[in-house]
Amino acid sequence: MMVKRNVTRRHATIRDVALRADTSTATVSRVLNDTGFVSEDLRDRVLRAAADLGYTPNYVARSLKKQATHTVGVLITDITNQFYASLVRGIEDVLATHRYHALLSNTDHDPTKEAEHCRLMCEKRVEGVIISAAGQQVDHLQLLRDHGIPWVFVNRRPKGCGGPAILTDNRAGAYEATMHLIHLGHRRIGVIAGPQDINTGIDRLEGYREAMGTAGLPVQEDWIAYGAFREDGGYRATLQLLDLQKDRRPTALFACNNKMTVGVWKALADRGVRIPQEMALVGFDESEWARMVVPPLTTLAQRTYEMGRAAAKGILQGIARGGEAFDSTVARDVYLKPQLIIRQSCGSSSTEGAPRVVPSTSESL
């Protein structure tokens, strides 16, 4: 009979479990991995031994042996942004059904941090990476390519960079938001625009310009104020527009990001500008606070959970293809159209008790 021993000062191994259960390591492996036939009595004995020893599988060693970690890296730009909470939930829900795990990293809109996190992802032997790009500087993606790791862009895609992407139809959403303000009678419409080195900032500004052109309205360059996708960026950009002479000041604002919208709201409050009586306001991104402020905020709601699910499905397909997801001719982009949720901040439903959702009219999948 095999000699049993206690393990108290180090991590228990599969051999320790086998000794405690008086069986072979192969049998322990079959029980723990639920593969092959093992009698119920022996199965119970192995499980009790593993519990007594506090045994947990060594996933690092297992991944080295199988060359698979069942882990997907997820790089996001701002972990404090509610937008990403729903996005990551969608990613994790899909990965979990395939027994994959997400390794989450925050880049803080910094391409240098993004590059460092890509290096760490390679060291952790992730099988794929989902990226919300921090900017146009993406030379570090070559490191993923060199390691045979596929990637999928979500929400943001650097200009000219290959690989599949799951994106909001930002241009169509911005066009719809601006046209809504035009239909309400506004002719001087300002835009709080985001950075022009990422597709979200570029496309939303283009949608605004397109709507103004469709309506035959001039676009005054001093009605466009730029800022980072942060609260302070929206605040300073709004003050810039409010400093215009009153007869040139916009009567409505379109804010291109949820955090910027918070800054816009604060700037208007600090200057004593009433919403919507003196300034109509539409934001981009739905947030819980949008329904709670007075007046409630009209927003473009992105389908963030669906974006996360689509990104997870895309990266799993890339992993299954062995990295062919690098080739943009293999995997197509997915565009999800946002929904305009009309509330009282733009003055269009001030007598109504409930918001009105404008359904999506088109979508490219």
Side-chain angles (χ1 to χ4, degrees):
M1 179 178 292
M2 297 183 182
V3 178
K4 300 179 183 178
R5 60 175 177 172
N6 293 323
V7 180
T8 57
R9 294 188 178 182
R10 61 179 177 80
H11 183 78
T13 68
I14 194 171
R15 178 174 172 77
D16 297 321
V17 176
L19 289 170
R20 173 68 67 92
D22 194 16
T23 188
S24 67
T25 55
T27 298
V28 173
S29 178
R30 285 198 299 273
V31 171
L32 297 180
N33 292 300
D34 196 22
T35 59
F37 174 77
V38 178
S39 69
E40 286 301 317
D41 178 67
L42 183 53
R43 181 182 300 276
D44 290 342
R45 200 162 75 233
V46 168
L47 293 177
R48 282 198 304 271
D52 290 344
L53 293 171
Y55 172 79
T56 56
N58 188 334
Y59 288 108
V60 173
R62 180 181 296 179
S63 67
L64 289 173
K65 183 178 180 180
K66 294 184 177 182
Q67 294 296 307
T69 61
H70 286 272
T71 303
V72 169
V74 181
L75 300 179
I76 61 174
T77 55
D78 185 357
I79 201 170
T80 66
N81 192 331
Q82 184 180 341
F83 169 90
Y84 287 108
S86 178
L87 182 79
V88 172
R89 178 63 181 271
I91 291 171
E92 290 185 326
D93 282 355
V94 170
L95 292 182
T97 63
H98 293 80
R99 297 187 178 182
Y100 272 76
H101 304 280
L103 180 61
L104 184 65
S105 292
N106 179 56
T107 64
D108 200 30
H109 299 275
D110 185 346
T112 301
K113 286 186 179 180
E114 184 175 276
E116 175 62 17
H117 286 308
C118 278
R119 185 185 65 79
L120 292 174
M121 293 292 179
C122 293
E123 291 182 359
K124 297 293 184 182
R125 303 175 68 86
V126 300
E127 296 183 45
V129 179
I130 297 172
I131 308 171
S132 179
Q136 291 292 339
Q137 183 182 334
V138 289
D139 293 343
H140 48 273
L141 293 185
Q142 182 62 41
L143 183 62
L144 299 181
R145 187 190 297 273
D146 292 343
H147 282 76
I149 299 174
W151 64 78
V152 171
F153 291 110
V154 63
N155 184 45
R156 296 177 173 183
R157 166 195 252 151
K159 187 175 181 180
C161 190
I166 314 299
L167 306 169
T168 291
D169 193 339
N170 292 288
R171 185 166 182 163
Y175 178 91
E176 187 173 13
T178 307
M179 288 301 296
H180 177 65
L181 292 170
I182 293 170
H183 291 154
L184 292 175
H186 294 283
R187 296 296 179 265
R188 302 201 306 267
I189 301 172
V191 59
I192 309 300
Q196 296 301 290
D197 62 346
I198 53 177
N199 68 292
T200 45
I202 295 169
D203 293 347
R204 292 172 192 178
L205 180 56
E206 287 182 353
Y208 159 82
R209 289 184 182 275
E210 184 179 351
M212 296 290 280
T214 298
L217 298 175
V219 176
Q220 304 292 340
E221 292 303 316
D222 55 3
W223 291 349
I224 303 174
Y226 300 91
F229 279 147
R230 301 176 187 272
E231 181 178 334
D232 57 349
Y235 185 88
R236 288 194 296 267
T238 304
L239 293 183
Q240 177 182 327
L241 297 184
L242 293 179
D243 286 338
L244 296 173
Q245 293 182 358
K246 196 163 186 179
D247 60 348
R248 288 190 52 77
R249 180 190 301 174
T251 61
L253 294 178
F254 168 46
C256 290
N257 164 269
N258 59 350
K259 284 205 160 186
M260 295 181 86
T261 307
V262 175
V264 173
W265 197 284
K266 188 174 187 301
L268 293 175
D270 287 351
R271 288 289 183 91
V273 179
R274 295 175 301 161
I275 304 171
Q277 294 90 339
E278 297 174 279
M279 186 71 73
L281 177 61
V282 178
F284 207 112
D285 295 329
E286 172 71 344
S287 301
E288 289 185 3
W289 64 265
R291 304 188 297 269
M292 301 175 184
V293 293
V294 180
L297 178 68
T298 295
T299 62
L300 283 159
Q302 298 192 72
R303 296 164 58 187
T304 51
Y305 180 77
E306 289 85 351
M307 289 175 68
R309 289 183 60 84
K313 291 177 181 178
I315 198 62
L316 290 173
Q317 291 170 5
I319 292 169
R321 288 195 300 263
E324 289 182 11
F326 301 129
D327 186 351
S328 59
T329 65
V330 173
R332 57 180 179 162
D333 293 346
V334 174
Y335 289 88
L336 302 178
K337 192 176 186 298
Q339 291 183 321
L340 181 65
I341 301 178
I342 299 173
R343 301 190 179 98
Q344 289 89 339
S345 68
C346 53
S348 60
S349 60
S350 58
T351 60
E352 300 176 12
R356 181 162 58 92
V357 178
V358 177
S360 300
T361 56
S362 65
E363 185 168 290
S364 175
L365 292 174

